[in-house]
Amino acid sequence: MIGLIQRVTEAAVAIEGQRAAAIGRGLLVLVGVERHDDAETARRLAERVLAYRVFPDAAGKMNLSVCDVDGAVLLVPQFTLVADTQSGNRPSFSSGAAPTLGKELFAAFVGECERRCKRVAVGRFGAAMQVSLVNDGPVTFWLEAGTELSRGPAP
């Protein structure tokens, strides 16, 4: 599973022109599910996302998590994160989870985040969404959990 996290001052998701979810200070998390992921992978990615220290402490160092600063998280499913872009001019999605598994594991990821965090907003799996954000910093990190099964050993 992949989580592209962005520290934001605000972020929102619109579906069919209507605002579906929004947050203030916190993390926008774009989530990709790979075919070899499972519930444990979803749990581990949620744990990593919520504990990742990307907010400044009193000294200005990135030393606090979104939970430490009482921030919110906006979780958005994004299958294009699992694209193989190694060759050619068109991405391959063969490493992505089938829609049924993707939806199930995204829901497990959301559930785990809701268990651990006070404020969670969510995009809609399978919907065409328009995501807006103000990236704070900018601060953006790529987190992975369990992808060693689907990508194989490093070259």
Side-chain angles (χ1 to χ4, degrees), residues 1 5 9 49 59 69 75 94 99-100 104 115-116 122 152-153:
M1 252 177 133
I5 65 172
T9 57
V49 164
V69 300
L75 309 175
S94 61
T100 303
E104 174 186 317
R115 227 178 42 74
R116 297 170 178 259
V122 184

Side-chain angles (χ1 to χ4, degrees), residues 33-54:
V33 182
E34 295 178 289
R35 68 176 172 211
H36 296 294
D37 292 336
D38 58 20
E40 176 58 21
T41 308
R43 185 203 62 76
R44 177 68 180 126
L45 183 62
E47 179 180 86
R48 290 199 70 207
V49 164
L50 298 178
Y52 215 66
R53 298 182 303 174
V54 298

Side-chain angles (χ1 to χ4, degrees), residues 1-12:
M1 252 177 133
I2 298 166
L4 180 72
I5 65 172
Q6 298 181 72
R7 187 178 75 191
V8 298
T9 57
E10 61 184 64

